[in-house]
Amino acid sequence: MKIRVTVMLKDGVLDPQGKAIGHALDVLGFHGLGEVRAGKVIEIDVPQSDPAAAVAKGEDMARALLANLVIEDFAVEAAP
Amino acid sequence: MKIRVTVMLKDGVLDPQGKAIGHALDVLGFHGLGEVRAGKVIEIDVPQSDPAAAVAKGEDMARALLANLVIEDFAVEAAP
């Protein structure tokens, strides 16, 4: 089954990419935006067919490779 | 309210970043993985308080800036 790992910078960590996107959106006419934060999403087709086991495997992958736990948080969900 | 825009390469478009992640996971001992695809997620705090209006605004932003519609698909959802 497919899982989706979402990796975002932790709250409080400066996000220059998000800031740049927010500025560009404002220039394009989307005014009044609050915080904009950018992150990564990785979709992985795992061999596990049980959703709980697949999500647990995704969490192992995030801790081993996909997220830098010093500055990033991650969330794993079964993909639709 | 917050919205989340997810941008992924379209099916059929070569995803070298996803391939590299899949290879690295295999080297780390996560064997038997199928396709791995990498994308972007952008969380935006929009002034709209109505979820439908906020999502519609997010779709406008994706079309204007966040996604390259030639090679990428996007999805917008109200963030939790």
Side-chain angles (χ1 to χ4, degrees):
Chain A
M1 69 174 300
K2 280 196 174 184
I3 58 170
R4 176 175 293 197
V5 182
T6 306
V7 180
M8 302 289 293
L9 285 168
K10 288 182 179 177
D11 286 342
V13 176
L14 185 66
D15 180 359
Q17 186 184 7
K19 287 251 187 298
I21 292 170
H23 177 72
L25 287 170
D26 193 69
V27 169
L28 287 171
F30 297 99
H31 303 304
L33 302 180
E35 194 175 30
V36 178
R37 292 185 79 77
K40 296 174 284 187
V41 56
I42 301 111
E43 281 188 1
I44 306 171
D45 196 352
V46 294
Q48 286 76 15
S49 54
D50 172 52
V55 167
K57 187 60 76 174
E59 290 172 349
D60 289 345
M61 293 179 197
R63 275 187 282 267
L65 178 75
L66 303 175
N68 175 355
L69 299 178
V70 177
I71 57 169
E72 292 172 330
D73 282 329
F74 68 87
V76 183
E77 60 191 337
Chain B
M1 68 174 300
K2 280 195 174 185
I3 57 170
R4 175 175 293 196
V5 181
T6 306
V7 180
M8 302 290 292
L9 285 169
K10 288 183 179 176
D11 285 342
V13 177
L14 185 67
D15 179 359
Q17 188 185 6
K19 287 253 186 297
I21 292 169
H23 177 73
L25 287 170
D26 193 69
V27 168
L28 287 171
F30 298 99
H31 303 304
L33 302 182
E35 193 175 31
V36 178
R37 293 185 78 77
K40 295 174 286 190
V41 56
I42 302 112
E43 281 188 1
I44 305 171
D45 196 351
V46 294
Q48 287 76 15
S49 55
D50 172 52
V55 167
K57 187 59 78 175
E59 289 172 349
D60 290 344
M61 293 179 197
R63 275 186 282 267
L65 178 74
L66 304 174
N68 174 356
L69 298 179
V70 177
I71 57 169
E72 292 173 329
D73 282 327
F74 67 87
V76 183
E77 61 192 337

